[in-house]
Amino acid sequence: MSIRTRSAVVVALAAAAAACGERAEVWDASIGNPTPIALESNVSLVDPGGRRVLVLEPKDGQELERTSVQVGKGIIAAAASADQKRLVVLSTGDVPRRKNDDERASLTILEGTRARKLPLESPHTGMAIDPLGRYVAVYAAPGSTALGAFVENPNEIIVIDLQADDAKAIVPRTLRSFGGRPQRVSFSPELQLPGGKRRLLVVETDQDVVLLDLDRIHDTPERPEITVRLTSGATTKALSPAAVVFDDGDPAKNDDARIGVRLANDSNVVTLTLGAAPAASPNDFLPTLNLTDVGGPATDLAFVRTDAGLRLAALVPGKASAVLVEPSTSVTSKVDIPGGFSRISLVTSAVGSAGSDVALLYGSGSAAVAFWALGRAVGQSFRSVEVVSLGSGGGGVTEVLDVPAPQANLKVLQTSGSAFYVLDLVKRTAPPLTTQGQAQVRVSPDGKRLWVFGKNTPSLAQVDLATLHPVQLPLERTIDSVFDVTRPGGRSLVVVDRRGGVGATVLNATAPDTATSRSYYGLLLEGLQ
């Protein structure tokens, strides 16, 4: 049955509400396509039509406690923090505002069912959350326009410092622009810079890179951002950044922290070295730019430790190679890479390598992965790459999933075929697990099991990561997503079906049994105000 409004499903309840006075507009709002987001101990259903988040907390006996938390009107984006302790919701408010009691744009931060709501001066459409949990950046997402805005400043970035009180938390900044518009916003790790330890907000426009000192955003007068122009001015070609990576350099030095920039439309890569600024500069660091040709557009970058020191590694699948760039001199070393590997992930700590890095190479163009030993990469490149074939049934590797401790030596390889693989980084084996059709895989946060399901089907299975033994758990409802979360005294699996006002099935995650599961229906019809 097609559901357009809540009142179409609960006519009796709506009629009763109308009999007591004017019916709340939520009853006429479309249920739409609510977004389920997993936090550490709950699943949060973001309900734009209801202007709320429905918090689902599993309890003993597959019980599901439901709490409705109001957030700002006009939900435009929502995401969990990296540690899954907070949910951040960006709302546009009433657009346009015509009355004093119309809502302003806002940012709501939820920890469990506790909400902190911060008003914003104007609506924005993009949001980036600091992986370390302190900051949120709100900006104009590329390709979008704030609802109802006649004039919008795409170079305005709103930095929200979650450690500050409400009066100081919101810091609006307009970035100096040479015509570019922000495309992505990133937060650096802590870097040792000439003025001390710093964290940076890095904004990639379609032609520049902008650096903002987060540890000085509350200064008066404000410290200006640093705009690094990637276009020389001698040509009309704009170099567009596609991604950034960071390295803090030698811990004993404060002038060798670096940012690597991959370009979307050029065969060069950029290295920014953050050294000391002149005494008259308002900032205490200044980037020096090196541009290095790696033979073709790079698809991924990483700073790596080799037997010859720090290098910026660039994958260039169009040339079947990787290039190691010495960041100070831009001297390059080419390493031939078999197969269509387009992504790089460092696995050094998992394999126990000392002194130099080991990287895992993968990509959707190859039914294999490769281990790249960086300790032998310079001057002995023919010995540095070891390929592990995945056979003919898997297809290319579309995603690599990390497995937390105690099984951090494992990676799960999702492919474009009807199989996935559990890669042992130490033994360098990759046993397959086959599925009936395309399947999605989720790793439990405690690193002990996998959940495998068919999207929009009732097919569900658990795989024990210690033995790779699968347990079949077919459900009665189709599956949109699955979430393994904590509950008092254990862990629960919450399986969400977004049809019919949203339903959920709850199982014991560590000892799942469909005979003891419990199902809940019409969740978005509960708790409305």
Side-chain angles (χ1 to χ4, degrees), residues 501-523:
V502 181
T505 300
V506 183
L507 299 94
N508 183 332
T510 55
D513 185 345
T514 54
T516 59
S517 66
R518 294 194 63 176
S519 294
Y520 301 81
Y521 304 96
L523 295 175

Side-chain angles (χ1 to χ4, degrees), residues 92 94-97 123 145-152:
T92 64
D94 286 300
V95 181
R97 292 184 72 244
T145 302
L147 296 175
F150 178 59
V151 176
E152 184 176 24

Side-chain angles (χ1 to χ4, degrees), residues 479-500:
I479 301 168
D480 174 80
S481 46
V482 304
F483 305 99
D484 190 322
V485 299
T486 62
R487 60 171 167 79
R491 300 194 65 86
S492 294
L493 184 75
V494 180
V495 183
V496 174
D497 177 8
R498 287 197 278 187
R499 300 176 308 157

Side-chain angles (χ1 to χ4, degrees), residues 303-328:
F303 281 106
V304 297
R305 264 66 185 174
T306 76
D307 51 357
L310 179 71
R311 295 292 187 270
L312 179 62
L315 286 186
V316 190
K319 300 290 184 179
S321 68
V323 177
L324 294 171
V325 180
E326 205 290 321
S328 298

